[in-house]
């Protein structure tokens, strides 16, 4: 769905989240927890941009983005946990000692370094996405089969991460972090800084995705979505384009997970289960598939509604989310952005102008 890029949207977005919310916190009108919650929403919006690239613009319904999100989160969590362990004068994290593990597993060793941790948080999801995407796209798997296989993959990884034998905390995950680069994660100034960093990365990710969709590469992706057979006849290597966007979407999800972990203080396999994977796709569907602004709006709005509804109606959120999804599919299949555009066109002054006749 193509919409005009009105600069007013961007100015309003920046004014609210880069100026108004921080000013509200500094003046005492908002708590630091509110700032931190919105920082997490930005992380979800970064992942939603990747989903929109691969689903909205390329037509590939990938249901494993939550897994890539968790890979980024687990990588940072391992680094923070090792730093806490060393500061406490211990050799192994507490959960490993409880499981009677004698030595630190080899794959944990590189996460002592912050630089290596950042690199691996990007390299591992990219490599995993490349291998999975290469196998699936080379096998010409598409449509509903792609969704089923990627969801099955996420389910399999969820079951693996649940096991204590993987040395990643099992069902409890990784938690109880104190510092990041020597700064206390419980500090209000650090929470505000993480909020601002998340917002800046979201803006950079949006600009990056916008450049992709506006380029020749993006036009080919949309052509693949509209008619893959025709674009393959035009001598384009469809598999390469699909594989590239699949890796990019995985990287965006991993970046979101990396920023999410320090702000929430915990990462568990529950963040990658079936429900979490479906919810991430629904953010984009409700916001407006094939519209980057819709992906961001959907992620922010749905998670904001989740916070409100779980406080007022703890057991009704899934029903509310399902109702919103059904209404979206039946009555405004272009999501919130499509609904806003329809309202805008309906009340546009040009709609009521009577055409002039010439004699």
């Amino acid at each position: 769905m193509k919409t005009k890029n009105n600069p007013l949207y961007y100015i309003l977005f920046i004014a609210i989240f880069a100026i108004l919310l921080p000013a509200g916190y500094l003046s005492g009108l908002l708590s630091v927890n509110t700032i931190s919650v919105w920082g997490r929403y930005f992380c979800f919006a970064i992942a939603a941009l990747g989903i929109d690239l691969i689903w909205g613009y390329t037509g590939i319904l990938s249901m494993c983005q939550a897994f890539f999100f968790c890979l980024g989160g687990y990588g940072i969590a391992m680094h923070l946990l090792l730093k806490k362990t060393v500061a406490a004068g211990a050799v192994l994290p507490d959960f490993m000692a409880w499981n009677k593990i004698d030595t630190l597993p080899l794959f944990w060793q590189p996460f002592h370094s912050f630089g290596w941790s950042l690199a691996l948080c990007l390299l591992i999801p990219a490599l995993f996405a490349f291998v999975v995407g290469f196998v699936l796209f080379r096998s010409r798997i598409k449509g509903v089969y792609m969704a089923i296989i990627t969801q099955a993959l996420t389910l399999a990884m969820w079951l693996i991460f649940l096991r204590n034998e993987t040395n990643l905390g099992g069902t409890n995950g990784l938690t109880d972090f104190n510092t990041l680069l020597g700064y206390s994660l419980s500090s209000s100034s650090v929470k505000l800084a993480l909020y601002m960093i998340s917002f800046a990365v979201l803006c950079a990710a949006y600009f990056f995705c916008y450049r992709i969709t506006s380029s020749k590469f993006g036009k080919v992706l949309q052509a693949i979505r509209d008619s893959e057979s025709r674009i393959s006849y035009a001598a384009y290597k469809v598999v390469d384009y699909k594989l590239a966007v699949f890796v990019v979407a995985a990287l965006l999800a991993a970046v979101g997970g990396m920023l999410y972990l320090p702000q929430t203080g915990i990462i568990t396999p529950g963040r990658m289960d079936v429900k979490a994977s479906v919810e991430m796709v629904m953010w984009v569907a409700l916001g407006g598939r094939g519209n980057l602004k819709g992906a961001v709006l959907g992620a922010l709005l749905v998670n904001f509604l989740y916070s409100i509804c779980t406080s007022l109606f703890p057991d009704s959120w899934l029903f509310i989310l399902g109702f919103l999804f059904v209404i979206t599919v039946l009555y405004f299949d272009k999501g919130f952005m499509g609904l806003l555009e329809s309202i805008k066109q309906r009340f546009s002054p040009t709609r009521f102008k009577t055409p002039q006749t010439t004699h």
Side-chain angles (χ1 to χ4, degrees), residues 18-37:
I19 300 175
L20 193 60
L21 258 66
Y25 161 68
L26 294 175
S27 63
L29 297 176
L30 297 175
S31 68
V32 70
N33 290 331
T34 301
I35 294 295
S36 185
V37 165

Side-chain angles (χ1 to χ4, degrees), residues 1 21 35 65 122 129 137 146 161 169 192-193 203 209 242 247 279 281 286 293 295 300 312 320 337 353:
M1 181 175 65
L21 258 66
I35 294 295
Q65 298 306 112
L122 297 175
F137 299 137
M146 181 71 179
F161 274 65
L192 179 61
C203 293
C209 293
K242 284 183 173 182
V247 172
E279 282 184 354
V281 173
L286 293 172
K293 291 190 287 292
L300 297 180
L312 300 176
I320 296 171
M337 288 302 299
K353 288 183 179 180

Side-chain angles (χ1 to χ4, degrees), residues 229-241:
S229 59
R230 288 186 180 182
I231 199 68
S232 62
Y233 289 138
Y236 285 99
K237 296 182 179 179
V238 174
V239 171
D240 294 345
Y241 281 91

Side-chain angles (χ1 to χ4, degrees), residues 194-347:
L194 288 171
Y195 167 90
M196 295 303 298
I197 292 172
S198 299
F199 179 77
V201 173
L202 172 59
C203 293
Y206 179 89
F207 179 73
F208 171 72
C209 293
Y210 176 75
R211 292 297 298 269
I212 287 179
T213 56
S214 302
S215 66
K216 179 182 177 182
F217 179 82
K219 303 304 180 186
V220 175
L221 294 181
Q222 295 173 59
I224 293 173
R225 175 196 63 192
D226 296 335
S227 180
E228 183 176 335
S229 59
R230 288 186 180 182
I231 199 68
S232 62
Y233 289 138
Y236 285 99
K237 296 182 179 179
V238 174
V239 171
D240 294 345
Y241 281 91
K242 284 183 173 182
L243 186 57
V245 75
F246 192 70
V247 172
V248 170
L251 285 172
L252 286 171
V255 169
M258 292 164 64
L259 292 169
Y260 173 81
L261 185 279
Q263 297 181 84
T264 192
I266 185 173
I267 189 74
T268 69
R271 180 47 63 185
M272 72 171 80
D273 64 8
V274 173
K275 182 172 69 70
S277 301
V278 173
E279 282 184 354
M280 293 183 79
V281 173
M282 291 179 70
W283 299 340
V284 178
L286 293 172
R289 176 185 166 200
N291 187 322
L292 296 176
K293 291 190 287 292
V296 174
L297 176 65
L300 297 180
L301 186 58
V302 172
N303 282 284
F304 178 66
L305 290 175
Y306 171 80
S307 297
I308 295 177
C309 293
T310 50
S311 298
L312 300 176
F313 317 105
D315 300 324
S316 304
W317 168 244
L318 289 180
F319 298 102
I320 296 171
L321 184 62
F323 174 76
L324 288 174
F325 185 72
V326 170
I327 292 298
T328 301
V329 172
L330 292 179
Y331 298 106
F332 49 104
D333 58 345
K334 294 181 180 179
F336 297 140
M337 288 302 299
L339 179 62
L340 292 176
E341 288 296 325
S342 299
I343 295 174
K344 181 180 177 181
Q345 291 177 6
R346 177 167 295 184
F347 293 98

Side-chain angles (χ1 to χ4, degrees), residues 171-208:
T171 56
N172 295 324
L174 303 178
T175 186
D176 196 20
F177 316 115
N178 296 331
T179 61
L180 173 63
L181 296 175
Y183 297 97
S184 174
L185 290 174
S186 61
S187 170
S188 298
S189 58
V190 171
K191 292 181 179 181
L192 179 61
L194 288 171
Y195 167 90
M196 295 303 298
I197 292 172
S198 299
F199 179 77
V201 173
L202 172 59
C203 293
Y206 179 89
F207 179 73
F208 171 72

